[in-house]
Amino acid sequence: MEGLRAKFELEFKPDGALIIKTGDQVLEIGAKADKSKAKVERLQKALEGIGRGLDKAARLSGRLTLGLTALFAGLAGVVKKAVEAASQVESVHTRLLTLYRGNVQVADEMLQWTKQFAATTPFQLGQVAEATTLLEAYGLSARRWLPLVGDLAAAMGRDVTETAVAVGKAVASGGAGMDALRRSYAITGEQLRELGWTGKTGAEGIESFDRALYKLLAEGRTAGGMERLSKTFEGLVSNLKDQMFLLLAEVGTPLMELLKDQIA
């Protein structure tokens, strides 16, 4: 895959088509490409970033990288994967924008937070985004709860979105909906009462249940579950995939805008 790590070059044909070159590979994108200096510079920088990223991955992971770079069979493969990654990130942003009722600043901040969370934990961006929206939909702060939900999921070998539902439903109901926590995560009402839950459910029990479950997850046996899983082979591969995915998304964003111009 040496060609993929070569320098990317951009050219424009007289009819406006964008030409991307690397090594002996050439890709042409339509005839309505935006030639604005800012967009061209952004695309060039992004393409250079993916080359550096593959170099870094090769140094860090050795032969493992062959399994990842095999996904990018030539320049066209890079572009396809990059646009797919950018499209996924755009979809996540749209969902967050809807969740936060059109507040662009909050949606942007949460997108950056979910990307960073995914890149440093054994969970993929799509999983993290889904868990984030679920927790927020239940009225829980994802920034406060997702690290604990992630630890619980990692320690118990569960899907993080499934765990977010179990925790969100239990807290939002003041303990009335904690069947999933008891059945799948061995968290009992007795444990929570020892930590301050009044035992009351519904609105009367939300505050004390919230505090008790938070304390149990923050200080109990599942604390640090994500960190431990991240050090396993499975976790290391997941983190490497996340880093490559985010690099691809950076490349794919300006490419996706060019392709939108073609469709429009």
Side-chain angles (χ1 to χ4, degrees), residues 152-174:
L152 179 60
M156 302 299 288
R158 297 284 181 174
D159 179 80
V160 71
T161 57
E162 169 192 306
T163 307
V165 170
V167 170
K169 185 176 181 179
V171 174
S173 66

Side-chain angles (χ1 to χ4, degrees), residues 191-208:
Q191 289 175 307
L192 296 172
R193 281 190 289 273
E194 289 177 356
L195 294 174
W197 179 37
T198 63
K200 295 180 179 180
T201 58
E204 294 182 352
I206 290 178
E207 187 175 342
S208 64

Side-chain angles (χ1 to χ4, degrees), residues 62-199:
R63 293 183 180 180
L64 173 61
T65 308
L66 295 176
L68 295 175
T69 54
L71 294 173
F72 316 133
L75 180 56
V78 173
V79 172
K80 181 176 183 292
K81 291 294 181 181
V83 172
E84 288 176 351
S87 178
Q88 289 183 45
V89 172
E90 182 184 45
S91 295
V92 169
H93 185 263
T94 299
R95 289 164 56 194
L96 291 172
L97 197 59
T98 300
L99 180 66
Y100 296 116
R101 300 182 180 181
N103 190 320
V104 177
Q105 181 178 346
V106 174
D108 287 349
E109 290 174 353
M110 283 305 297
L111 177 62
Q112 292 306 313
W113 184 83
T114 55
K115 287 164 67 174
Q116 179 63 26
F117 190 94
T120 55
T121 66
F123 302 115
Q124 304 297 304
L125 178 63
Q127 295 175 302
V128 173
E130 181 71 15
T132 294
T133 54
L134 286 168
L135 288 170
E136 294 281 348
Y138 277 113
L140 281 63
S141 166
R143 290 178 186 267
R144 177 173 182 251
W145 280 99
L146 190 54
L148 302 183
V149 167
D151 278 345
L152 179 60
M156 302 299 288
R158 297 284 181 174
D159 179 80
V160 71
T161 57
E162 169 192 306
T163 307
V165 170
V167 170
K169 185 176 181 179
V171 174
S173 66
M178 66 170 293
D179 287 348
L181 287 182
R182 181 170 49 248
R183 183 176 60 254
S184 301
Y185 302 92
I187 294 176
T188 67
E190 182 179 354
Q191 289 175 307
L192 296 172
R193 281 190 289 273
E194 289 177 356
L195 294 174
W197 179 37
T198 63

